[in-house]
Amino acid sequence: MGAIERSGYRFVPEYSVIMQNGAVHVYNQDQFIEEIQFQFSGKFPEIDQIEELIDEYCNQHNI
């Protein structure tokens, strides 16, 4: 699962199967902005779950 680009922002997902949690790191032009944490179940997070988090973030921040 690679980075997702939206309007100059880059969203980089990372996750731990053992801990069943993850984070999406938000960057704007290589500058770290913040981390969006999430939890999941199963062997890996669903791409739809990550895209939904990114969509919500973009809507809240007018991106």
Side-chain angles (χ1 to χ4, degrees), residues 13-15 20-24 36-40 45 49-50 53:
E14 296 181 2
Y15 61 92
Q20 294 286 282
N21 62 21
V24 177
I36 307 166
Q37 297 182 0
F38 65 91
Q39 295 183 334
F40 65 95
Q49 177 186 12
I50 293 172
L53 287 171

Side-chain angles (χ1 to χ4, degrees), residues 5-21:
E5 302 262 344
R6 300 253 175 97
S7 301
Y9 285 78
R10 191 174 72 238
F11 300 87
V12 183
E14 296 181 2
Y15 61 92
S16 168
V17 175
I18 294 171
M19 300 296 291
Q20 294 286 282
N21 62 21

Side-chain angles (χ1 to χ4, degrees), residues 26-41:
V26 182
Y27 296 88
N28 185 4
Q29 299 179 359
D30 295 328
Q31 180 181 353
F32 176 76
I33 304 297
E34 67 181 294
E35 177 180 89
I36 307 166
Q37 297 182 0
F38 65 91
Q39 295 183 334
F40 65 95
S41 60

Side-chain angles (χ1 to χ4, degrees), residues 39-59:
Q39 295 183 334
F40 65 95
S41 60
K43 294 184 178 181
F44 52 86
E46 297 291 327
I47 188 67
D48 291 343
Q49 177 186 12
I50 293 172
E51 287 185 1
E52 186 176 312
L53 287 171
I54 293 170
D55 287 344
E56 287 177 23
Y57 182 89
C58 289
N59 287 336

